[in-house]
Amino acid sequence: MTNALSKLLDTKDAILTDGATGTNLFNMGLQSGDAPELWNVDAPDKIRALYKGSVDAGSDLFLTNTFGGTAARLKLHDAQNRVGELNRIGAELGREIADKAGRPVVVAGSVGPTGEIMEPVGSLSHSEAVEMFHEQAEALKAGGVDVLWVETISAPEEFRAAAEAFALADMPWCGTMSFDTAGRTMMGVTSADLALLVETLPNPPIAFGANCGTGASDILRTVLGFAAQGTERPLISKGNAGIPKYVDGHIHYDGTPELMGRYATMARDSGATIIGGCCGTMPDHLRKMREALDTTSRGERPTLDQITEALGPFSSASDGTEGDAGPERRTRRRRRA
Ligand SMILES: [Zn+2]
């Protein structure tokens, strides 16, 4: 493996990713309901500023502004014929900023869910999903991303379709799911399920993990769940900056930079190697995370009590694996004992 991410993983104890894309763009004037991907063409300086904000705060890797770049998502904005253009330019702007950083910075091509429900529950077929992800993947590759990065996925079928598309594009990749429903994804996937799923893929990801979800404590519990499966793959933790709350008519995330610094070191202690933020995570948070990771070394795995003491309560009593009678339950019990 000679891709830029694997090289960085060989030399670093932990990799800091970027933070929020949406929250940052809303602060730059994006209106809710707008397609952020259109700004790759219409407001490229704002996208450069988004990327540069992460790099200047110390991120080793950032995601491109292409989360909603599949034809299915762009169709909501009547831009389904611009998949190639919007993704390629989003990637090219990223390449430009990363190459000017003066140190290795990885450009990861963000691929979000299609927004459609896949068969057998919904109507989107496997081959249609693969085709859409493949179209986006080729455009990101043409724009010069180092790796592809599928995120915020709920359904195992969609994760598999993305993986297959990335094989067609012959690109290394990472993948994360969002465990936002009492420790599981909206479609019921547990941390243990995802750790097992990635090993069944013919082209497994370089790294896998969790993003978004419900706050810093929950995502660390999920990371401990991945680690309990004994995976040797690097784990990703890209958690929100606290919990979203409505303040004066807009969404505010309550996690302070200090809390996110603490979260970053605890994510590393929990077993994550690729650590960053998701919604609500701004450059100020990233700077504290960078500082916290650089001034401490990897410690003991935290207990669940240590996590809640440092970062606040979990959103649910369990991480969703407790009801299963599978081996993951025994592993988790051993780990906690
Ligand atoms: Zn998020």
Side-chain angles (χ1 to χ4, degrees), residues 20 23 151-152 178 211-213 238-240 253 277-280:
T23 317
E151 53 174 343
T152 326
S178 179
N211 77 294
C212 216
K238 219 167 172 299
N240 294 342
Y253 284 82
C278 198
C279 301

Side-chain angles (χ1 to χ4, degrees), residues 3-16:
N3 65 80
L5 176 57
S6 295
K7 272 189 210 159
L8 210 55
L9 283 164
D10 282 345
T11 60
K12 286 193 164 245
D13 176 43
I15 287 177
L16 180 68

Side-chain angles (χ1 to χ4, degrees), residues 191-193 195-196 224-231 327-329 331-332 335:
S191 53
D193 294 336
L196 297 174
L224 288 172
F226 297 138
Q229 296 303 308
T231 179
E328 69 271 25
R329 185 178 179 188
T331 316
R332 287 190 53 80
R335 178 75 67 196

Side-chain angles (χ1 to χ4, degrees), residues 12-16 57-60 256-269 272-273 275-276 283-299 310-311:
K12 286 193 164 245
D13 176 43
I15 287 177
L16 180 68
S59 299
D60 304 303
T256 61
E258 288 69 27
L259 178 127
M260 289 304 278
R262 189 83 188 90
Y263 147 81
T265 60
M266 290 187 92
R268 185 177 54 187
D269 296 346
T273 310
I275 297 158
D284 283 348
H285 295 97
L286 293 172
R287 265 186 285 277
K288 282 288 180 194
M289 293 163 74
R290 175 86 269 169
E291 183 189 317
L293 289 171
D294 286 352
T295 54
T296 57
S297 47
R298 192 181 290 269
L311 303 174

